[in-house]
Coordinates of all heavy atoms in Angstrom, one line a residue:
M1201 N 107.2 84.3 127.6 CA 106.5 85.4 127.0 C 107.5 86.3 126.3 O 108.6 86.6 126.8 CB 105.7 86.2 128.1 CG 104.9 87.3 127.5 SD 103.9 87.9 128.8 CE 103.4 89.4 128.1
I1202 N 107.1 86.8 125.1 CA 108.0 87.7 124.4 C 107.9 89.1 124.9 O 106.8 89.6 125.2 CB 107.6 87.7 122.9 CG1 107.7 86.3 122.3 CG2 108.4 88.7 122.1 CD1 107.2 86.2 120.9
H1203 N 109.0 89.7 125.1 CA 109.1 91.1 125.6 C 108.5 92.0 124.5 O 108.7 91.9 123.3 CB 110.5 91.5 125.9 CG 110.6 92.8 126.7 ND1 110.6 94.0 126.1 CD2 110.8 93.0 128.0 CE1 110.7 94.9 127.0 NE2 110.8 94.3 128.2
P1204 N 107.6 93.0 124.9 CA 107.0 93.9 123.9 C 108.0 94.6 123.0 O 107.7 94.8 121.8 CB 106.3 94.9 124.8 CG 106.0 94.2 126.1 CD 107.2 93.3 126.3
R1205 N 109.2 95.0 123.5 CA 110.1 95.7 122.7 C 110.7 94.7 121.6 O 110.9 95.2 120.5 CB 111.3 96.2 123.5 CG 110.9 97.4 124.3 CD 112.1 98.0 125.0 NE 111.7 99.2 125.8 CZ 112.5 99.8 126.6 NH1 113.7 99.4 126.7 NH2 112.0 100.8 127.3
V1206 N 110.9 93.5 121.9 CA 111.4 92.5 121.0 C 110.3 92.3 119.9 O 110.6 92.2 118.7 CB 111.7 91.2 121.7 CG1 112.0 90.1 120.7 CG2 112.9 91.4 122.6
L1207 N 109.0 92.2 120.3 CA 107.9 92.0 119.4 C 107.8 93.2 118.4 O 107.7 93.0 117.2 CB 106.6 91.8 120.1 CG 105.4 91.6 119.3 CD1 105.5 90.4 118.4 CD2 104.2 91.5 120.2
M1208 N 108.0 94.4 119.0 CA 107.9 95.6 118.2 C 109.0 95.7 117.2 O 108.8 96.0 116.0 CB 108.0 96.9 119.1 CG 107.9 98.2 118.3 SD 106.3 98.4 117.4 CE 105.3 99.0 118.7
L1209 N 110.2 95.3 117.6 CA 111.4 95.3 116.7 C 111.2 94.3 115.6 O 111.5 94.5 114.4 CB 112.7 95.0 117.4 CG 114.0 94.9 116.6 CD1 114.2 96.2 115.9 CD2 115.1 94.5 117.5
A1210 N 110.7 93.1 115.9 CA 110.4 92.1 114.9 C 109.4 92.6 113.9 O 109.5 92.3 112.7 CB 109.9 90.8 115.6
L1211 N 108.4 93.2 114.3 CA 107.3 93.8 113.4 C 107.9 94.8 112.5 O 107.6 94.9 111.3 CB 106.1 94.3 114.2 CG 105.3 93.3 114.9 CD1 104.2 93.9 115.8 CD2 104.6 92.3 113.9
V1212 N 108.7 95.7 113.0 CA 109.4 96.8 112.2 C 110.3 96.1 111.2 O 110.2 96.5 110.0 CB 110.1 97.7 113.1 CG1 111.0 98.7 112.3 CG2 109.2 98.6 113.9
L1213 N 111.1 95.2 111.5 CA 112.0 94.5 110.6 C 111.2 93.8 109.5 O 111.6 93.8 108.4 CB 113.0 93.6 111.3 CG 114.0 94.3 112.2 CD1 114.9 93.3 112.9 CD2 114.9 95.3 111.3
A1214 N 110.2 93.1 109.9 CA 109.4 92.4 108.9 C 108.7 93.3 107.9 O 108.7 93.0 106.7 CB 108.3 91.6 109.6
G1215 N 108.3 94.5 108.4 CA 107.8 95.5 107.4 C 108.8 96.1 106.5 O 108.5 96.5 105.4
A1216 N 110.0 96.1 107.0 CA 111.1 96.7 106.2 C 111.6 95.8 105.1 O 112.2 96.3 104.1 CB 112.2 97.2 107.1
A1217 N 111.5 94.5 105.3 CA 112.0 93.6 104.3 C 111.6 93.8 102.9 O 112.4 93.8 102.0 CB 111.7 92.1 104.8
P1218 N 110.3 94.0 102.6 CA 109.9 94.2 101.3 C 110.5 95.5 100.7 O 110.8 95.6 99.5 CB 108.3 94.3 101.3 CG 108.0 93.6 102.6 CD 109.1 93.8 103.5
D1219 N 110.6 96.5 101.6 CA 111.2 97.8 101.1 C 112.6 97.6 100.7 O 113.1 98.2 99.7 CB 111.1 98.9 102.2 CG 109.6 99.3 102.4 OD1 108.8 99.1 101.5 OD2 109.4 99.8 103.5
M1220 N 113.4 96.8 101.5 CA 114.8 96.5 101.2 C 114.9 95.8 99.9 O 115.8 96.0 99.1 CB 115.4 95.8 102.3 CG 115.6 96.7 103.6 SD 116.6 95.9 104.9 CE 115.5 94.6 105.4
A1221 N 114.0 94.8 99.6 CA 114.0 94.0 98.4 C 113.7 94.9 97.2 O 114.4 94.8 96.2 CB 113.0 92.9 98.5
A1222 N 112.8 95.8 97.4 CA 112.4 96.8 96.3 C 113.6 97.7 96.0 O 113.9 98.0 94.8 CB 111.2 97.6 96.6
A1223 N 114.3 98.1 97.0 CA 115.5 99.0 96.8 C 116.6 98.3 96.1 O 117.2 98.8 95.2 CB 116.0 99.5 98.2
A1224 N 116.8 97.0 96.5 CA 117.8 96.2 95.8 C 117.5 96.0 94.3 O 118.3 96.0 93.5 CB 118.0 94.9 96.5
D1225 N 116.2 95.8 94.1 CA 115.7 95.6 92.7 C 116.0 96.9 91.9 O 116.4 96.8 90.7 CB 114.2 95.3 92.7 CG 113.7 95.0 91.3 OD1 114.4 94.2 90.5 OD2 112.7 95.5 90.9
R1226 N 115.7 98.1 92.5 CA 115.9 99.3 91.8 C 117.4 99.6 91.5 O 117.7 100.2 90.5 CB 115.3 100.5 92.6 CG 113.8 100.6 92.4 CD 113.3 101.9 93.0 NE 113.5 102.0 94.5 CZ 112.7 101.5 95.4 NH1 111.6 100.9 95.0 NH2 112.9 101.6 96.7
K1227 N 118.3 99.1 92.4 CA 119.7 99.3 92.2 C 120.2 98.5 90.9 O 121.2 98.9 90.3 CB 120.5 98.8 93.4 CG 120.4 99.8 94.5 CD 121.2 99.3 95.7 CE 121.1 100.3 96.9 NZ 121.9 99.8 98.0
A1228 N 119.5 97.5 90.6 CA 119.8 96.7 89.4 C 119.3 97.3 88.1 O 119.6 96.8 87.0 CB 119.3 95.3 89.5
C1229 N 118.6 98.4 88.2 CA 118.0 99.1 87.1 C 118.9 100.2 86.6 O 119.7 100.8 87.4 CB 116.6 99.7 87.4 SG 115.4 98.4 87.8
L1230 N 118.9 100.5 85.3 CA 119.8 101.4 84.7 C 119.3 102.8 84.9 O 118.1 103.1 85.0 CB 119.9 101.1 83.2 CG 120.8 100.0 82.8 CD1 120.4 98.7 83.3 CD2 121.0 100.0 81.3
T1231 N 120.2 103.8 84.9 CA 119.9 105.2 85.0 C 119.4 105.6 83.6 O 119.7 104.9 82.6 CB 121.1 106.0 85.4 OG1 122.1 105.9 84.3 CG2 121.7 105.6 86.7
P1232 N 118.8 106.8 83.5 CA 118.4 107.2 82.1 C 119.6 107.3 81.1 O 119.4 106.9 80.0 CB 117.8 108.6 82.4 CG 117.3 108.5 83.8 CD 118.3 107.7 84.5
E1233 N 120.8 107.7 81.6 CA 121.9 107.8 80.7 C 122.4 106.4 80.3 O 122.7 106.2 79.1 CB 123.1 108.5 81.4 CG 122.9 110.0 81.8 CD 122.0 110.1 83.0 OE1 122.0 109.2 83.9 OE2 121.4 111.2 83.2
Q1234 N 122.4 105.5 81.2 CA 122.7 104.1 80.9 C 121.7 103.5 79.9 O 122.1 102.7 79.0 CB 122.8 103.2 82.2 CG 124.0 103.6 83.1 CD 123.9 102.9 84.4 OE1 122.8 102.7 85.0 NE2 125.1 102.5 85.0
R1235 N 120.4 103.8 80.1 CA 119.4 103.3 79.3 C 119.6 103.8 77.8 O 119.5 103.0 76.9 CB 118.0 103.7 79.8 CG 116.9 103.1 79.0 CD 115.5 103.5 79.6 NE 115.3 104.9 79.5 CZ 115.0 105.7 80.5 NH1 114.9 105.2 81.7 NH2 114.8 107.0 80.3
R1236 N 119.8 105.1 77.7 CA 120.1 105.6 76.4 C 121.3 105.0 75.7 O 121.3 104.7 74.5 CB 120.3 107.1 76.4 CG 118.9 107.9 76.6 CD 119.1 109.4 76.5 NE 119.9 110.0 77.6 CZ 119.4 110.4 78.7 NH1 118.1 110.2 78.9 NH2 120.1 110.9 79.6
A1237 N 122.3 104.7 76.5 CA 123.6 104.1 75.9 C 123.3 102.7 75.5 O 123.7 102.2 74.4 CB 124.7 104.1 76.9
A1238 N 122.5 101.9 76.2 CA 122.1 100.6 75.9 C 121.3 100.5 74.6 O 121.5 99.7 73.7 CB 121.4 99.9 77.0
I1239 N 120.4 101.5 74.4 CA 119.6 101.5 73.2 C 120.5 101.9 72.0 O 120.4 101.3 71.0 CB 118.4 102.5 73.4 CG1 117.4 101.9 74.5 CG2 117.7 102.7 72.1 CD1 116.4 102.9 74.9
A1240 N 121.3 102.9 72.2 CA 122.2 103.4 71.1 C 123.2 102.2 70.7 O 123.5 102.1 69.5 CB 123.0 104.6 71.6
A1241 N 123.6 101.4 71.6 CA 124.5 100.3 71.3 C 123.7 99.1 70.8 O 124.3 98.0 70.6 CB 125.3 99.9 72.6
H1242 N 122.4 99.2 70.7 CA 121.5 98.1 70.2 C 121.5 96.9 71.1 O 121.4 95.8 70.7 CB 121.9 97.6 68.8 CG 121.9 98.8 67.8 ND1 120.7 99.3 67.3 CD2 122.8 99.5 67.2 CE1 120.9 100.3 66.5 NE2 122.2 100.4 66.4
K1243 N 121.8 97.2 72.4 CA 121.6 96.1 73.4 C 120.2 96.0 73.9 O 119.8 95.1 74.6 CB 122.6 96.4 74.6 CG 124.0 96.3 74.2 CD 124.9 96.6 75.4 CE 126.4 96.5 75.0 NZ 127.3 96.8 76.1
A1244 N 119.4 97.1 73.7 CA 118.0 97.1 74.1 C 117.2 97.8 73.0 O 117.7 98.7 72.3 CB 117.9 97.9 75.4
V1245 N 116.0 97.3 72.8 CA 115.1 97.9 71.8 C 114.5 99.2 72.5 O 114.6 99.4 73.7 CB 113.9 97.0 71.5 CG1 114.4 95.7 70.8 CG2 113.0 96.7 72.7
P1246 N 114.0 100.1 71.7 CA 113.5 101.3 72.3 C 112.3 101.0 73.2 O 111.6 100.0 73.0 CB 113.0 102.2 71.1 CG 113.8 101.6 69.9 CD 114.1 100.2 70.2
L1247 N 112.1 101.9 74.2 CA 111.0 101.7 75.1 C 109.6 101.6 74.4 O 108.8 100.8 74.8 CB 111.0 102.8 76.2 CG 109.8 102.8 77.2 CD1 109.8 101.5 78.0 CD2 110.0 104.0 78.1
T1248 N 109.4 102.3 73.4 CA 108.1 102.3 72.7 C 107.8 100.9 72.2 O 106.6 100.5 72.2 CB 108.1 103.3 71.5 OG1 109.2 103.1 70.7 CG2 108.2 104.8 72.0
R1249 N 108.8 100.2 71.7 CA 108.6 98.8 71.3 C 108.1 97.9 72.4 O 107.2 97.1 72.3 CB 109.8 98.3 70.6 CG 109.6 96.9 70.0 CD 110.7 96.5 69.1 NE 110.6 95.1 68.8 CZ 111.6 94.4 68.2 NH1 112.7 95.0 67.8 NH2 111.4 93.1 67.9
A1250 N 108.8 98.1 73.6 CA 108.4 97.3 74.7 C 107.0 97.6 75.2 O 106.2 96.7 75.5 CB 109.4 97.5 75.9
M1251 N 106.6 98.9 75.1 CA 105.3 99.3 75.5 C 104.2 98.7 74.5 O 103.2 98.3 75.0 CB 105.2 100.8 75.5 CG 106.0 101.4 76.7 SD 106.1 103.2 76.6 CE 104.4 103.7 77.0
R1252 N 104.5 98.7 73.2 CA 103.6 98.1 72.3 C 103.4 96.6 72.6 O 102.2 96.1 72.5 CB 104.1 98.2 70.9 CG 103.8 99.6 70.3 CD 104.0 99.6 68.8 NE 105.3 99.1 68.3 CZ 106.4 99.8 68.1 NH1 106.3 101.1 68.3 NH2 107.5 99.3 67.7
T1253 N 104.4 95.9 73.0 CA 104.3 94.5 73.3 C 103.4 94.3 74.5 O 102.5 93.4 74.5 CB 105.7 93.9 73.7 OG1 106.6 94.0 72.5 CG2 105.7 92.5 74.1
V1254 N 103.6 95.1 75.5 CA 102.7 95.0 76.7 C 101.3 95.4 76.5 O 100.4 94.7 76.9 CB 103.3 95.9 77.9 CG1 102.4 96.0 79.1 CG2 104.7 95.3 78.3
K1255 N 101.1 96.5 75.7 CA 99.7 96.9 75.4 C 98.9 96.0 74.6 O 97.7 95.9 74.6 CB 99.8 98.3 74.8 CG 100.1 99.4 75.8 CD 100.0 100.8 75.2 CE 100.1 101.8 76.2 NZ 99.4 103.0 75.9
A1256 N 99.6 95.1 73.8 CA 99.0 94.1 73.0 C 98.4 93.0 73.9 O 97.4 92.3 73.6 CB 99.9 93.5 72.0
R1257 N 98.9 92.9 75.1 CA 98.4 91.8 76.1 C 97.6 92.4 77.2 O 96.7 91.7 77.7 CB 99.6 91.0 76.6 CG 100.3 90.2 75.6 CD 101.2 89.3 76.3 NE 101.9 88.4 75.4 CZ 101.9 87.1 75.5 NH1 101.4 86.5 76.5 NH2 102.5 86.3 74.6
I1258 N 98.0 93.6 77.7 CA 97.3 94.2 78.8 C 96.7 95.5 78.3 O 97.5 96.4 78.0 CB 98.2 94.4 80.0 CG1 98.9 93.1 80.4 CG2 97.5 95.0 81.2 CD1 100.0 93.3 81.5
H1259 N 95.4 95.7 78.3 CA 94.8 96.9 77.9 C 94.8 97.9 79.0 O 94.1 97.7 80.0 CB 93.4 96.7 77.3 CG 93.5 95.8 76.1 ND1 94.0 96.2 74.9 CD2 93.1 94.5 76.0 CE1 93.9 95.1 74.1 NE2 93.4 94.1 74.7
G1260 N 95.6 98.9 78.9 CA 95.7 99.9 80.0 C 96.8 100.9 79.7 O 97.3 101.0 78.6
D1261 N 97.2 101.6 80.8 CA 98.2 102.7 80.6 C 99.5 102.3 81.4 O 99.4 101.8 82.5 CB 97.7 104.0 81.2 CG 96.5 104.5 80.5 OD1 96.5 104.5 79.2 OD2 95.5 105.0 81.1
V1262 N 100.6 102.4 80.7 CA 101.9 102.2 81.3 C 102.1 103.4 82.2 O 102.2 104.5 81.7 CB 103.0 102.0 80.3 CG1 104.4 101.9 81.0 CG2 102.7 100.8 79.4
V1263 N 102.3 103.2 83.5 CA 102.5 104.2 84.5 C 104.0 104.3 84.9 O 104.3 105.4 85.5 CB 101.5 104.1 85.7 CG1 100.1 104.3 85.2 CG2 101.7 102.8 86.4
N1264 N 104.8 103.3 84.7 CA 106.2 103.3 85.0 C 106.9 102.3 84.2 O 106.4 101.3 83.8 CB 106.3 103.0 86.5 CG 107.7 103.3 87.0 OD1 108.5 104.1 86.5 ND2 108.2 102.5 88.0
A1265 N 108.1 102.7 83.8 CA 109.0 101.8 83.0 C 110.4 101.9 83.5 O 110.9 103.0 83.7 CB 108.8 102.1 81.6
R1266 N 111.1 100.7 83.6 CA 112.5 100.7 84.0 C 113.2 99.7 83.1 O 112.6 98.7 82.7 CB 112.6 100.2 85.5 CG 111.9 101.1 86.5 CD 112.1 100.7 87.9 NE 112.0 99.3 88.2 CZ 110.8 98.7 88.6 NH1 109.7 99.4 88.7 NH2 110.8 97.4 88.9
L1267 N 114.4 99.9 82.9 CA 115.3 98.9 82.2 C 116.2 98.4 83.2 O 117.0 99.1 83.8 CB 116.0 99.6 81.0 CG 116.9 98.7 80.2 CD1 116.2 97.5 79.6 CD2 117.6 99.5 79.1
C1268 N 116.2 97.1 83.5 CA 116.9 96.5 84.6 C 117.8 95.3 84.1 O 117.4 94.7 83.1 CB 115.9 96.0 85.6 SG 114.8 97.3 86.3
Q1269 N 118.9 95.1 84.8 CA 119.7 94.0 84.6 C 119.2 92.8 85.4 O 119.1 92.9 86.6 CB 121.2 94.3 84.9 CG 122.2 93.2 84.6 CD 122.3 93.0 83.2 OE1 122.5 93.9 82.4 NE2 122.3 91.7 82.8
R1270 N 118.9 91.7 84.7 CA 118.5 90.5 85.4 C 119.5 89.4 85.1 O 120.4 89.6 84.3 CB 117.1 90.1 85.0 CG 116.0 91.2 85.4 CD 115.8 91.2 86.9 NE 115.1 92.3 87.3 CZ 113.8 92.4 87.6 NH1 113.0 91.4 87.3 NH2 113.2 93.5 88.0
E1271 N 119.2 88.2 85.6 CA 120.1 87.1 85.3 C 120.3 86.8 83.9 O 121.4 86.5 83.4 CB 119.5 85.8 86.0 CG 119.6 85.8 87.5 CD 118.9 84.6 88.1 OE1 118.6 83.6 87.3 OE2 118.7 84.6 89.3
K1272 N 119.2 86.9 83.1 CA 119.3 86.6 81.7 C 119.6 87.7 80.8 O 119.5 87.6 79.6 CB 118.0 85.9 81.3 CG 117.7 84.6 82.0 CD 116.4 84.0 81.6 CE 116.2 82.7 82.4 NZ 114.9 82.1 82.1
G1273 N 119.9 88.9 81.3 CA 120.2 90.1 80.5 C 119.3 91.2 80.9 O 118.7 91.3 81.9
L1274 N 119.2 92.2 79.9 CA 118.4 93.4 80.2 C 116.9 93.1 80.0 O 116.5 92.4 79.0 CB 118.8 94.5 79.2 CG 120.2 95.1 79.5 CD1 120.6 96.1 78.4 CD2 120.2 95.8 80.8
V1275 N 116.1 93.6 80.9 CA 114.7 93.4 80.8 C 114.0 94.8 81.1 O 114.4 95.5 82.0 CB 114.2 92.4 81.9 CG1 112.7 92.3 82.0 CG2 114.9 91.1 81.7
Y1276 N 112.9 95.1 80.3 CA 112.1 96.2 80.6 C 111.1 95.7 81.7 O 110.4 94.7 81.5 CB 111.3 96.7 79.4 CG 112.1 97.6 78.5 CD1 112.6 97.2 77.3 CD2 112.4 98.9 78.9 CE1 113.4 98.0 76.5 CE2 113.1 99.8 78.1 CZ 113.6 99.3 76.9 OH 114.3 100.2 76.1
V1277 N 110.9 96.5 82.7 CA 109.9 96.2 83.7 C 108.9 97.3 83.7 O 109.2 98.5 83.9 CB 110.5 96.1 85.2 CG1 109.4 95.8 86.2 CG2 111.6 95.0 85.2
L1278 N 107.7 97.0 83.2 CA 106.6 98.0 83.0 C 105.5 97.8 84.0 O 105.0 96.7 84.1 CB 106.1 98.0 81.6 CG 107.2 98.3 80.5 CD1 107.7 97.1 79.9 CD2 106.6 99.3 79.5
T1279 N 105.1 98.9 84.6 CA 103.9 98.9 85.5 C 102.7 99.4 84.7 O 102.8 100.5 84.2 CB 104.2 99.7 86.8 OG1 105.4 99.3 87.4 CG2 103.0 99.6 87.8
V1280 N 101.7 98.6 84.7 CA 100.5 98.9 83.9 C 99.3 99.1 84.8 O 99.0 98.2 85.6 CB 100.3 97.9 82.8 CG1 99.1 98.3 81.9 CG2 101.5 97.7 82.0
L1281 N 98.5 100.1 84.6 CA 97.2 100.3 85.2 C 96.2 99.9 84.2 O 95.9 100.6 83.2 CB 97.0 101.8 85.6 CG 95.7 102.1 86.3 CD1 95.4 101.3 87.5 CD2 95.6 103.6 86.6
A1282 N 95.6 98.7 84.4 CA 94.6 98.2 83.5 C 93.3 98.9 83.6 O 93.1 99.6 84.6 CB 94.4 96.7 83.8
R1283 N 92.5 98.8 82.6 CA 91.2 99.5 82.5 C 90.3 99.1 83.7 O 89.5 99.9 84.1 CB 90.6 99.3 81.2 CG 91.3 99.9 80.1 CD 90.6 99.8 78.8 NE 91.4 100.5 77.7 CZ 91.5 100.0 76.5 NH1 90.9 98.9 76.2 NH2 92.2 100.6 75.7
D1284 N 90.5 97.9 84.2 CA 89.7 97.4 85.3 C 90.2 97.9 86.7 O 89.7 97.6 87.7 CB 89.5 95.9 85.3 CG 90.9 95.2 85.6 OD1 91.9 95.8 85.7 OD2 90.8 93.9 85.5
G1285 N 91.3 98.7 86.6 CA 91.9 99.3 87.9 C 93.0 98.4 88.5 O 93.6 98.8 89.5
K1286 N 93.2 97.3 87.9 CA 94.2 96.4 88.4 C 95.6 96.9 88.0 O 95.8 97.2 86.9 CB 94.0 95.0 87.9 CG 94.9 93.9 88.5 CD 94.5 92.6 88.0 CE 95.4 91.5 88.5 NZ 95.1 90.2 88.0
V1287 N 96.6 96.9 88.9 CA 97.9 97.2 88.6 C 98.7 95.9 88.4 O 98.7 95.0 89.2 CB 98.6 98.0 89.8 CG1 100.1 98.3 89.5 CG2 97.8 99.3 90.0
T1288 N 99.4 95.9 87.2 CA 100.2 94.7 86.8 C 101.6 95.1 86.5 O 101.8 96.2 85.9 CB 99.5 94.0 85.6 OG1 98.2 93.8 85.9 CG2 100.2 92.8 85.2
E1289 N 102.5 94.2 86.8 CA 103.9 94.4 86.4 C 104.2 93.4 85.3 O 104.1 92.2 85.5 CB 104.9 94.3 87.6 CG 106.3 94.7 87.3 CD 107.1 94.8 88.6 OE1 107.7 93.7 89.0 OE2 107.2 95.9 89.2
A1290 N 104.7 93.9 84.2 CA 105.0 93.1 83.0 C 106.4 93.2 82.7 O 107.0 94.3 82.9 CB 104.1 93.5 81.8
M1291 N 107.0 92.1 82.1 CA 108.4 92.2 81.7 C 108.5 91.8 80.2 O 107.9 90.9 79.7 CB 109.2 91.2 82.6 CG 109.3 91.7 84.0 SD 110.4 90.7 85.0 CE 109.4 89.3 85.4
V1292 N 109.5 92.6 79.6 CA 109.7 92.4 78.2 C 111.2 92.2 78.0 O 112.0 93.0 78.6 CB 109.2 93.6 77.4 CG1 109.6 93.5 75.9 CG2 107.7 93.7 77.5
D1293 N 111.7 91.3 77.2 CA 113.1 91.1 76.9 C 113.6 92.3 76.2 O 113.1 92.6 75.1 CB 113.3 89.8 76.1 CG 114.7 89.4 75.9 OD1 115.6 90.4 75.8 OD2 115.0 88.2 75.8
A1294 N 114.5 93.0 76.7 CA 115.0 94.3 76.1 C 115.8 94.0 74.8 O 115.9 94.9 74.0 CB 115.8 95.1 77.1
A1295 N 116.3 92.8 74.7 CA 117.1 92.5 73.5 C 116.3 92.4 72.2 O 116.7 92.8 71.2 CB 117.9 91.2 73.7
D1296 N 115.1 91.8 72.4 CA 114.3 91.6 71.2 C 112.8 92.1 71.3 O 112.1 92.0 70.3 CB 114.3 90.1 70.8 CG 113.7 89.2 71.9 OD1 113.1 89.7 72.9 OD2 113.8 88.0 71.8
G1297 N 112.5 92.7 72.4 CA 111.1 93.2 72.6 C 110.0 92.2 72.8 O 108.8 92.5 72.6
Q1298 N 110.4 91.0 73.1 CA 109.4 89.9 73.3 C 108.9 89.8 74.7 O 109.6 90.1 75.6 CB 109.9 88.6 72.8 CG 110.3 88.5 71.4 CD 109.1 88.7 70.5 OE1 108.1 88.0 70.6 NE2 109.3 89.6 69.5
W1299 N 107.6 89.5 74.8 CA 107.0 89.3 76.1 C 107.7 88.1 76.9 O 108.0 87.1 76.3 CB 105.5 88.9 75.9 CG 104.7 88.6 77.1 CD1 104.6 87.3 77.7 CD2 104.0 89.5 77.9 NE1 103.8 87.4 78.8 CE2 103.4 88.7 79.0 CE3 103.8 90.8 77.9 CZ2 102.6 89.4 79.9 CZ3 103.0 91.4 78.8 CH2 102.4 90.7 79.9
L1300 N 107.9 88.3 78.1 CA 108.6 87.3 79.0 C 107.5 86.6 79.7 O 106.7 87.2 80.4 CB 109.6 87.9 79.9 CG 110.9 88.4 79.2 CD1 111.8 89.1 80.2 CD2 111.6 87.2 78.5
D1301 N 107.5 85.3 79.7 CA 106.5 84.5 80.4 C 106.7 84.7 81.9 O 107.8 85.0 82.3 CB 106.7 83.0 80.1 CG 106.2 82.6 78.7 OD1 105.3 83.3 78.2 OD2 106.8 81.6 78.2
G1302 N 105.7 84.6 82.6 CA 105.7 84.9 84.1 C 105.4 86.4 84.4 O 105.4 86.8 85.5
S1303 N 105.2 87.2 83.4 CA 104.8 88.6 83.6 C 103.4 88.7 84.1 O 102.6 87.9 83.9 CB 104.9 89.4 82.3 OG 106.3 89.4 81.8

């Protein structure tokens, strides 16, 4: 039989795993200063272009946007609240403003 304290610890750690993954993902994202520098250096398109790309596919409001470093380079990660109430995370290649499959 599993001791109640061990079970409680396992449940707490299981609940913390998604939070740790989200924190690690945010660490890979650029600060506002870094984002401005990347756009000024033409390493990333302006956020407005990425938002137009997403809005052409998902009709709704962008509620959050981040510029993050991923394996293949810089990617805009946009959280969209669709008109049907569904929250979707979309990704746009920051180098060219194109929709990334799998979004």
Side-chain angles (χ1 to χ4, degrees):
M1201 182 170 167
I1202 298 175
H1203 192 278
R1205 287 186 183 173
V1206 173
L1207 181 59
M1208 181 64 83
L1209 179 61
L1211 290 172
V1212 168
L1213 290 175
D1219 292 337
M1220 289 187 292
D1225 185 47
R1226 281 191 294 274
K1227 286 182 182 179
C1229 296
L1230 281 63
T1231 65
E1233 296 80 24
Q1234 292 170 323
R1235 184 179 65 235
R1236 283 190 290 276
I1239 293 168
H1242 302 288
K1243 292 180 181 178
V1245 298
L1247 176 58
T1248 54
R1249 183 167 168 191
M1251 289 174 69
R1252 280 195 307 268
T1253 299
V1254 169
K1255 286 186 171 206
R1257 291 190 178 232
I1258 304 172
H1259 299 289
D1261 297 315
V1262 174
V1263 295
N1264 191 26
R1266 300 182 315 269
L1267 181 57
C1268 302
Q1269 183 67 47
R1270 298 288 166 97
E1271 290 177 11
K1272 297 179 182 179
L1274 291 173
V1275 174
Y1276 278 107
V1277 180
L1278 296 101
T1279 305
V1280 182
L1281 176 60
R1283 291 187 182 140
D1284 64 1
K1286 186 177 176 182
V1287 176
T1288 304
E1289 192 169 84
M1291 289 186 282
V1292 173
D1293 187 328
D1296 61 11
Q1298 297 297 310
W1299 178 269
L1300 289 174
D1301 289 332
S1303 295

